[in-house]
Amino acid sequence: MNPLRANIAACVAAAFPALVFAGPYDGVYKQTANAECALVGVDGGSLRIADNTFFGVAVQCQMTSPVDINDMDATIYTMQCSGDDETWTERAVLMNDAAKTGIYMIWDGYAFRYDRCKEGEY
């Protein structure tokens, strides 16, 4: 990349970091229909995905090695997780629902659907 383009890219990244680093699933999601969107990472609250990091209840996972699934609005991630003084690695599929109002998160043997919290709810 030539120096002028590198400088322009750096300026854009500094001015609009959310646009440059936002992932396709970034957002806050309700654990249950009546979940409190402002409470992230607690029972009865919400989950958050930001900058390729999943924040769940007492767990945080780095979402690495994304692989798009052909002909689907879905991605497989390697989840490098830690919580309760433990660390582990698992694979998970994230997929937008058809209406783009939530996501599906599929782990080996488990599938969850989370509604997206609206701006102002968190």
Side-chain angles (χ1 to χ4, degrees):
M1 179 181 288
N2 74 38
L4 179 59
R5 284 189 181 172
N7 285 338
I8 291 170
C11 289
V12 169
F16 303 104
L19 295 175
V20 174
F21 299 110
Y25 306 102
D26 280 9
V28 179
Y29 300 91
K30 297 178 182 183
Q31 290 181 50
T32 63
N34 298 322
E36 177 62 48
C37 290
L39 299 175
V40 174
V42 299
D43 285 327
S46 60
L47 311 169
R48 182 168 59 102
I49 298 173
D51 301 324
N52 292 318
T53 304
F54 169 77
F55 301 91
V57 177
V59 66
Q60 181 174 322
C61 302
Q62 296 301 308
M63 300 164 56
T64 65
S65 306
V67 177
D68 290 335
I69 299 175
N70 291 338
D71 300 322
M72 295 178 70
D73 189 8
T75 310
I76 301 171
Y77 289 95
T78 299
M79 307 291 274
Q80 297 173 332
C81 303
S82 61
D84 293 329
D85 297 325
E86 295 182 43
T87 59
W88 64 96
T89 301
E90 291 189 36
R91 303 271 287 170
V93 175
L94 275 75
M95 178 173 60
N96 286 308
D97 68 4
K100 306 282 191 208
T101 59
I103 60 169
Y104 292 96
M105 181 176 260
I106 303 160
W107 301 77
D108 187 21
Y110 301 93
F112 304 94
R113 186 188 178 288
Y114 301 114
D115 285 322
R116 184 180 293 272
C117 292
K118 295 176 179 75
E119 291 267 341
E121 289 182 321
Y122 52 93

